[in-house]
Amino acid sequence: MKTAVQIERDFYTIISQSQLGKELKGKVYRKEMRPIGSQEEDLILSLLSGVDDQVQTGVVAVSIYVKDIPFEGRLVRDTERIGELLELVNSITENYSFGYVISNDGTPSIIQLEDISQHVISIRLYFEYLNL
C-alpha cells in the first residue's frame, strides 16, 4: 500500500509530466507550498482521502489559479484560459500513469478570489491503484 506522501509524490510527477503540467504558465506545488502572493498560474495538489485495500482508492484535490483579465474597466475571469486548462485536465484522466486509474470526481468548479484578482479551478480526481 502507498502512503499519503507517496500518493502525493506520484500525482506531483504525473501532473508535472502531463500536457497540463507542460502548458501551465506557473508551477506545480503540493499543499501549502505555493509562495504567498504568487500571481502565477500555479497548480496545487493535495490528497483529500484514501482507502487502503487490495485496490487503494481516494481523491486528490487539484486547484489551478488563473489570473483575472481586464474587461471594460474591471477584472474578470479568463474564461478562454480556464476552458483550455479544463481540457488539459483530460490529459491526466485519459492516460494511466504509475499504475493509477484516474477519473474526474464530479464537475470542476470555478471560484472567484477577488482579493488577489484570480479565479481558482477546483478539481477532484478520483483514483484507483492496484496493490500487488
Side-chain angles (χ1 to χ4, degrees), residues 81-93:
R81 182 62 180 155
I82 290 171
E84 292 169 0
L85 291 166
L86 287 170
E87 286 294 320
L88 290 169
V89 169
N90 292 333
S91 70
I92 298 167
T93 60

Side-chain angles (χ1 to χ4, degrees), residues 39-51:
Q39 288 295 305
E40 300 298 318
E41 185 180 270
D42 296 323
L43 184 149
I44 315 284
L45 65 93
S46 64
L47 179 65
L48 290 182
S49 65
V51 177

Side-chain angles (χ1 to χ4, degrees), residues 9-96:
R9 186 180 311 129
D10 287 349
F11 271 80
Y12 177 89
T13 303
I14 290 166
I15 291 171
S16 294
Q17 294 177 355
S18 72
Q19 198 61 36
L20 172 62
K22 292 174 185 168
E23 294 191 30
L24 194 66
K25 295 177 183 173
K27 295 184 179 180
V28 178
Y29 295 99
R30 291 189 193 153
K31 184 178 181 180
E32 300 175 359
M33 300 305 289
R34 184 179 193 230
I36 294 172
S38 175
Q39 288 295 305
E40 300 298 318
E41 185 180 270
D42 296 323
L43 184 149
I44 315 284
L45 65 93
S46 64
L47 179 65
L48 290 182
S49 65
V51 177
D52 294 337
D53 210 337
Q54 184 173 0
V55 176
Q56 198 168 1
T57 61
V59 176
V60 172
V62 174
S63 300
I64 307 172
Y65 291 78
V66 182
K67 193 172 185 173
D68 290 348
I69 57 172
F71 177 77
E72 296 182 1
R74 58 191 169 109
L75 294 174
V76 297
R77 73 181 186 184
D78 188 345
T79 303
E80 184 176 336
R81 182 62 180 155
I82 290 171
E84 292 169 0
L85 291 166
L86 287 170
E87 286 294 320
L88 290 169
V89 169
N90 292 333
S91 70
I92 298 167
T93 60
E94 292 172 353
N95 298 302
Y96 300 95

